[in-house]
Amino acid sequence: QVQLVESGGGLVQPGGSLIVSCTASGRIFSVSAMGWYRQTPGNQRELVAAFASGGSPTYADSVKGRFTISRNNARNAVYLQMSSLKPEDSAVYYCKLRQITTDYWGKGTLVTVSS
């Protein structure tokens, strides 16, 4: 099994910055993708940013130029640096890891953008 733990969420003012982190542990042997999704009440979970195996990161149009995803393969970790945050960025942010054809999810970390 694989476990994902997110951290770094919290309350931030509009225009502010925040970094969320995700570390994976357990039986990890072939990661094909790892990234961040977010979800608000009543809505589907949506892609924010993710790495696929050997490729450049993919970003949602709504966060391009404001968010940056990075990773540390040695630590099985992925990070999301969020800048110029807007109230509509408020959501629970989830980390996802895909190993071969199985997806693993963290429990999420809440990000609230409000004055």
Side-chain angles (χ1 to χ4, degrees):
Q1 279 292 348
V2 174
Q3 297 80 40
L4 301 173
V5 177
E6 302 101 334
S7 62
L11 174 64
V12 61
Q13 291 188 340
S17 299
L18 199 65
I19 298 174
V20 290
S21 304
C22 172
T23 301
S25 61
R27 195 165 178 266
I28 300 168
F29 53 86
S30 181
V31 177
S32 55
M34 193 169 182
W36 290 95
Y37 290 70
R38 66 187 181 188
Q39 188 172 23
T40 53
N43 293 307
Q44 290 187 334
R45 200 168 292 186
E46 62 176 8
L47 171 71
V48 178
F51 285 105
S53 178
S56 299
T58 298
Y59 293 92
D61 287 343
S62 60
V63 307
K64 284 181 180 176
R66 300 188 299 121
F67 290 12
T68 302
I69 188 171
S70 60
R71 61 185 170 183
N72 185 325
N73 291 334
R75 297 186 176 184
N76 292 315
V78 65
Y79 311 93
L80 185 68
Q81 181 171 356
M82 302 180 286
S83 302
S84 302
L85 282 161
K86 305 175 182 179
E88 51 264 42
D89 294 318
S90 297
V92 178
Y93 283 71
Y94 295 92
C95 179
K96 187 185 90 169
L97 181 151
R98 172 166 291 179
Q99 182 152 261
I100 306 180
T101 59
T102 301
D103 289 337
Y104 299 91
W105 293 90
K107 293 183 178 181
T109 185
L110 178 64
V111 172
T112 302
V113 184
S114 176
S115 56

